[in-house]
Amino acid sequence: MLKFYLTSMTKRIAIICNYQLLPERVGGMDYFFWDFDKKCSENNIETDWFFPNNSDHGGYSDLTIYSDENKSVENNFLDFYQENKPVYSNIITHFVELCTPFFQKTKKISDAAIIAVDHNPRPLNGYPFKKKINKRIKGFLYSSYIDTFIGVSDYTVNEILKDFGSHLKSKTQTIYNGVILDTILVRETRNTVKPLFLVASHLRESKGIQDLIEAVNFLPADIRNEIKVDIYGDGPYKNHLIERTKQYGLQECFSFMGSKPNLNEIFCQYDYMLQPTHMECFSLSILESLSANVPVITTNVGGNTEAITHGENGYIFKAKDIKALTQILENVYLGNKKISINTRELIANSFSLPKMTEDHFQLLSDKRDQI
């Protein structure tokens, strides 16, 4: 049995994140990266970060970042390792595809314990048969090079086992995403009639905002003429969504607000958040909305039902069920359905950023004994 121990001596880890650093889009993961780096530094652990690009906005000015926009983050890390030969106790990946040759290559050059964190949502109807077979083969070939798999929800953990094999169960666990409560402004009172709605989402087809537009179009005329939905975010589907609102004459209902770096201060201006997504892993925007005491109306995909209890802190409907969404919107708008509790309390107890950071930090000491 080979062993290494985390002692008071300075250790060094690498974190490989296929995550663009964008000043105009600062979200929960950015805060997590900053907080985790600080936690490591306080415990004499040096952290090398590998991102697709570099930036000094927010806490990134304090991180040691290696980037090369001409290479994938995986290849940039491998080239850096070959050139510098650093000694890492742990190598962690975020937003990197699981069970690929990259993990085999990394294990061949380093004795570090490898932790792979899965943030990736799955398609609503699952992968095509050919891709399922391909993933199972990759699991057989490369899963042994990963010491620990982390899913950001129980749903994600189940999908990891489904994709790559149930034999991984003993080294797979859930660590929920978390948010910084102190930075999120709280809505004190909630309109129970004619509430204000927001969407906070990347604008792509899989987020289902086109379903929301359809649902609003099916509302009774008196509601359709009054309801207001502000959409925060940007993405490749934006023009399509704008055209669809024009097609139905709903330009007065929907306002496209663009990306905002201060959503933590904006959620509290609304009564409900809408998230009609077709695929999700575990949504930070849901947690942020709940932290602002703003209930969420969302679909039954991914880890959504692990944060939202129907009728308690929000409403759940089946993905792509436009009729069901229309009914919820109508009942909520008229005050026939309403959420009365303070939705912030759940987040404080189960989904805070300090808890997320501590749970991830504990993974480093969990790998003291290596076989």
Side-chain angles (χ1 to χ4, degrees):
M1 178 178 290
L2 301 175
K3 298 183 178 181
F4 69 86
Y5 297 93
L6 290 179
T7 70
S8 59
M9 297 176 59
T10 299
K11 295 294 182 180
R12 191 175 182 184
I13 66 173
I15 304 182
I16 301 146
C17 308
N18 192 17
Y19 180 91
Q20 287 284 336
L21 307 184
L22 303 174
E24 68 275 14
R25 183 210 64 193
V26 176
M29 286 306 301
D30 299 279
Y31 285 103
F32 167 68
F33 294 149
W34 305 338
D35 207 46
F36 188 76
D37 186 85
K38 182 180 178 182
K39 177 79 172 179
C40 288
S41 179
E42 291 171 347
N43 286 272
N44 297 314
I45 300 175
E46 295 180 356
T47 307
D48 293 341
W49 295 85
F50 295 82
F51 288 107
N53 66 305
N54 207 333
S55 181
D56 61 1
H57 70 276
Y60 287 115
S61 59
D62 297 324
L63 271 61
T64 301
I65 297 175
Y66 300 94
S67 66
D68 188 331
E69 297 187 26
N70 296 315
K71 302 176 183 177
S72 68
V73 288
E74 296 98 324
N75 285 336
N76 184 37
F77 169 77
L78 292 172
D79 289 347
F80 174 88
Y81 195 100
Q82 293 287 4
E83 182 177 346
N84 296 279
K85 302 294 191 298
V87 178
Y88 292 125
S89 62
N90 297 81
I91 296 171
I92 305 169
T93 68
H94 291 272
F95 303 101
V96 169
E97 184 181 352
L98 274 57
C99 297
T100 65
F102 164 73
F103 294 96
Q104 182 185 41
K105 293 175 184 177
T106 300
K107 207 65 170 178
K108 283 184 176 179
I109 61 176
S110 173
D111 293 329
I114 297 178
I115 302 167
V117 185
D118 189 352
H119 302 265
N120 300 317
R122 271 64 172 182
L124 180 59
N125 297 316
Y127 292 116
F129 179 75
K130 185 176 180 180
K131 190 164 187 177
K132 288 180 181 178
I133 297 299
N134 187 43
K135 282 187 171 292
R136 187 54 63 93
I137 292 172
K138 286 183 175 180
F140 175 76
L141 292 175
Y142 305 116
S143 64
S144 62
Y145 302 107
I146 299 173
D147 296 280
T148 304
F149 291 82
I150 300 296
V152 298
S153 63
D154 290 342
Y155 155 82
T156 310
V157 165
N158 290 332
E159 292 300 310
I160 291 172
L161 301 180
K162 187 188 301 182
D163 288 347
F164 302 112
S166 59
H167 64 286
L168 302 179
K169 187 173 183 179
S170 63
K171 60 177 183 177
T172 304
Q173 66 184 84
T174 299
I175 296 182
Y176 285 113
N177 287 338
V179 295
I180 303 179
L181 291 169
D182 294 344
T183 66
I184 299 175
L185 301 183
V186 182
R187 189 162 184 81
E188 299 297 338
T189 59
R190 190 178 301 136
N191 295 323
T192 56
V193 179
K194 297 184 179 180
L196 302 173
F197 299 95
L198 88 152
V199 173
S201 172
H202 187 59
L203 304 186
R204 58 179 184 264
E205 185 176 7
S206 63
K207 290 299 183 179
I209 300 169
Q210 65 276 11
D211 298 348
L212 172 59
I213 295 171
E214 296 277 352
V216 169
N217 186 53
F218 286 126
L219 287 168
D222 55 336
I223 300 177
R224 189 172 65 244
N225 292 335
E226 292 182 345
I227 193 171
K228 302 293 182 184
V229 181
D230 290 344
I231 299 176
Y232 292 89
D234 213 334
Y237 214 52
K238 181 177 181 178
N239 289 338
H240 176 87
L241 296 172
I242 292 173
E243 287 302 315
R244 188 163 291 198
T245 62
K246 291 178 180 178
Q247 176 186 347
Y248 294 129
L250 299 175
Q251 299 97 314
E252 297 301 315
C253 300
F254 292 91
S255 297
F256 290 83
M257 312 297 286
S259 294
K260 302 290 183 183
N262 63 329
L263 281 174
N264 57 313
E265 301 172 353
I266 291 174
F267 283 109
C268 66
Q269 300 171 19
Y270 299 87
D271 298 297
Y272 289 88
M273 187 179 84
L274 303 170
Q275 195 188 64
T277 180
H278 298 168
M279 54 192 298
E280 203 67 51
C281 206
F282 194 71
S283 171
L284 279 167
S285 62
I286 283 181
L287 300 184
E288 290 165 346
S289 182
L290 294 176
S291 299
N293 193 26
V294 177
V296 178
I297 300 170
T298 190
T299 57
N300 61 341
V301 302
N304 289 356
T305 57
E306 295 172 48
I308 302 298
T309 300
H310 184 75
E312 183 176 323
N313 61 350
Y315 297 102
I316 298 286
F317 64 97
K318 185 178 179 180
K320 295 189 177 183
D321 191 340
I322 294 170
K323 182 179 179 180
L325 177 54
T326 300
Q327 290 175 341
I328 292 173
L329 288 173
E330 180 176 353
N331 283 320
V332 168
Y333 195 78
L334 296 176
N336 298 329
K337 286 182 178 290
K338 58 185 177 182
I339 301 298
S340 301
I341 69 166
N342 186 330
T343 64
R344 186 180 177 88
E345 294 178 2
L346 169 71
I347 307 306
N349 294 333
S350 302
F351 303 112
S352 69
L353 182 65
K355 177 173 172 49
M356 177 188 180
T357 300
E358 182 62 30
D359 288 347
H360 276 274
F361 183 76
Q362 286 302 315
L363 294 173
L364 305 183
S365 58
D366 286 346
K367 305 311 293 182
R368 281 179 290 191
D369 293 331
Q370 296 293 309
I371 295 176

